[in-house]
Amino acid sequence: MGIGRRIAQARKLRGLTQQQLADRVPCSKSLIAQVERGHKPATQALVAAVARTLGVGLGRLTGQPYHEGREEQVHCGIPEIRRALLSWDLPDEDLLPPPLEQLRLDVRCASDLGRRAQFAQLTAMLPGLLEELTRAAHFSDGSPCDEVFGLLAEAYTGVTAIAYTFGYFDLRSLAMDRVMWAAHSSQDRLRVARTYWQRSTLFLATAAYDKGLSLLDRVRQEIGEDLGRLNAAELSVLGAAHLRSAIFAARAADRQTAFEHVEHAREAARVIGRDANHYGLEFGPSNVAMHAVAVAVEMCDGGEAIRLAGSSDFPATVAPVRLGHYYIDVARGWLYHGDRQKSFDMLLAARRTAPQQTRNHPMVHETVRAISTLKRRRSRELSDFARWLGLP
């Protein structure tokens, strides 16, 4: 069952007509009808708005988490991760924590697995690492303790990435609470600001765009907008806040504000002069170019998305998890632009770059369903791809 059929099912259970749902979202009745029939792919903005209007969880409409025998190592590892999150204040006092240098290396390894979208390996690593970091945080004091809490916040961030990718929305909220606690305990104001940036994604999922923008405003006010006075790490957090604000504005159909935020971020990236990775933000010229495309896609402007994508050339150092998401966005752009073959080509590029991420992204499922519906004859390659996703 696709998102459209799930929307129709949830709408009928609430006793609403298509017109009544459209009035409450708000959007056109035609859009609701086309999405429900599968003639038009649902956007992330529409799915979030419908979920909020109908009072259902996002996973109820996307069908996540997807199982069907895929990524079993991830799904089987979720209970262990959940237990590690729940025991945040219950360290094993009979065991000594590893040396700080070993914890640094392990967190760096976990972060690299996240960058490369290798979520099965990350899921296997995180429960033990979280337990070790929890012990270290409770048995340390002074500046080493601050650093351990910073490492713990970074490890918890790995949980949020897994939960987001695979659709464990309750786990994502729980992990975000742990990130906030560890970040504040680290006494690092930039890590706290980065955490507010991270927390804002929860408001995207609930279509609470005003709340998300308010939180991001707080980040920018905390750091300041005088680029000449900011160091590279501060510029990264500020630029990332502008990029996330651009997505919020695009979801709210405020085109001018969205691209204004992109330009502010572009100026911060120009000052940095390169792709950086402060606090795992991957901020720099490449990230700005990717977000410009994403903004156009969020507003269903396929022509602008393709124009912007055509002028982008990324270095080999770009994280696969970011590049895979970019290809998914470009695929949606080509679909809105009316070129189904190029849309599918971009999905194949996303699969080559970040397969676990691609297979579990609801917009990939929607794009493939739309291509299949619109094509007169489904190719063998498209059929194989649909089976790989677990689609009937």
Side-chain angles (χ1 to χ4, degrees):
M1 189 185 297
I3 290 176
R5 288 182 62 190
R6 291 191 182 93
I7 288 175
Q9 185 182 69
R11 171 180 61 77
K12 291 172 184 177
L13 285 173
R14 292 292 182 275
L16 298 178
T17 65
Q18 290 180 340
Q19 185 64 63
Q20 288 171 326
L21 176 59
D23 290 342
R24 297 181 188 190
V25 167
C27 64
S28 69
K29 177 191 174 185
S30 173
L31 176 60
I32 296 295
Q34 289 182 77
V35 167
E36 288 190 354
R37 289 197 299 267
H39 294 168
K40 194 167 190 175
T43 64
Q44 292 181 104
L46 179 65
V47 177
V50 169
R52 180 177 181 176
T53 300
L54 296 178
V56 299
L58 202 61
R60 170 82 175 275
L61 301 183
T62 65
Q64 293 173 291
Y66 306 127
H67 287 279
E68 294 93 26
R70 298 170 299 167
E71 275 78 56
E72 279 305 305
Q73 188 175 350
V74 172
H75 297 301
C76 290
I78 293 297
E80 284 298 318
I81 288 180
R82 200 182 297 275
R83 277 190 283 272
L85 293 179
L86 293 173
S87 59
W88 64 278
D89 60 344
L90 298 170
D92 190 337
E93 298 181 1
D94 296 330
L95 297 174
L96 290 175
L100 183 56
E101 180 56 35
Q102 184 60 52
L103 291 174
R104 290 192 193 110
L105 291 173
D106 288 345
V107 171
R108 194 175 305 141
C109 176
S111 297
D112 188 56
L113 289 173
R115 288 186 79 248
R116 290 185 279 125
Q118 295 183 352
F119 295 110
Q121 296 92 318
L122 181 59
T123 301
M125 182 181 187
L126 277 176
L129 178 58
L130 289 172
E131 290 177 4
E132 291 175 345
L133 287 165
T134 299
R135 288 203 305 273
H138 283 80
F139 288 121
S140 301
D141 55 25
S143 58
C145 183
D146 293 344
E147 182 180 356
V148 169
F149 273 112
L151 294 172
L152 185 55
E154 193 168 341
Y156 282 140
T157 293
V159 178
T160 68
I162 292 169
Y164 169 76
T165 302
F166 292 89
Y168 286 95
F169 300 107
D170 63 326
L171 181 65
R172 187 181 178 194
S173 297
L174 175 60
M176 194 64 247
D177 285 343
R178 298 294 180 264
V179 175
M180 291 291 296
W181 164 69
H184 281 285
S185 299
S186 74
Q187 308 296 318
D188 183 339
R189 74 178 187 90
L190 280 184
R191 184 170 292 283
V192 172
R194 185 250 194 257
T195 301
Y196 285 135
W197 168 88
Q198 186 179 352
R199 177 186 163 200
S200 70
T201 59
L202 300 178
F203 294 110
L204 278 177
T206 56
Y209 305 135
D210 55 338
K211 298 295 184 183
L213 284 168
S214 177
L215 192 58
L216 292 164
D217 285 343
R218 184 187 302 179
V219 173
R220 296 197 301 274
Q221 291 168 9
E222 170 67 23
I223 296 171
E225 299 271 7
D226 187 348
L227 303 187
R229 292 177 176 269
L230 303 181
N231 60 36
E234 290 169 328
L235 287 167
S236 289
V237 179
L238 176 65
H242 274 299
L243 291 179
R244 181 61 52 74
S245 297
I247 298 299
F248 272 97
R251 290 276 184 98
D254 187 345
R255 183 186 187 90
Q256 180 177 342
T257 300
F259 281 108
E260 284 175 356
H261 279 297
V262 171
E263 289 309 311
H264 285 303
R266 197 184 308 279
E267 183 61 18
R270 185 194 64 78
V271 175
I272 294 178
R274 60 184 176 84
D275 289 340
N277 192 25
H278 301 289
Y279 295 95
L281 290 169
E282 306 276 350
F283 180 75
S286 296
N287 204 0
V288 173
M290 290 177 175
H291 273 77
V293 172
V295 164
V297 169
E298 290 290 351
M299 294 184 292
C300 300
D301 189 344
E304 180 68 1
I306 299 312
R307 185 188 70 79
L308 291 168
S311 61
S312 301
D313 185 21
F314 303 114
T317 54
V318 170
V321 70
R322 294 298 177 98
L323 192 59
H325 199 289
Y326 169 76
Y327 287 140
I328 293 169
D329 280 338
V330 178
R332 294 168 63 200
W334 277 117
L335 182 64
Y336 298 152
H337 196 56
D339 194 320
R340 295 182 288 277
Q341 184 56 52
K342 288 185 177 178
S343 176
F344 182 56
D345 290 343
M346 287 296 100
L347 293 182
L348 293 175
R351 176 180 177 175
R352 290 191 297 269
T353 304
Q356 292 177 2
Q357 177 188 46
T358 302
R359 186 151 60 173
N360 289 279
H361 200 297
M363 291 299 103
V364 173
H365 289 232
E366 277 296 279
T367 302
V368 169
R369 288 182 187 278
I371 294 173
S372 298
T373 300
L374 295 169
K375 271 184 172 292
R376 294 179 180 177
R377 176 179 294 179
R378 179 188 290 188
S379 68
R380 174 68 177 273
E381 194 174 27
L382 180 60
S383 295
D384 288 345
F385 193 92
R387 277 194 293 272
W388 178 73
L389 290 176
L391 298 180

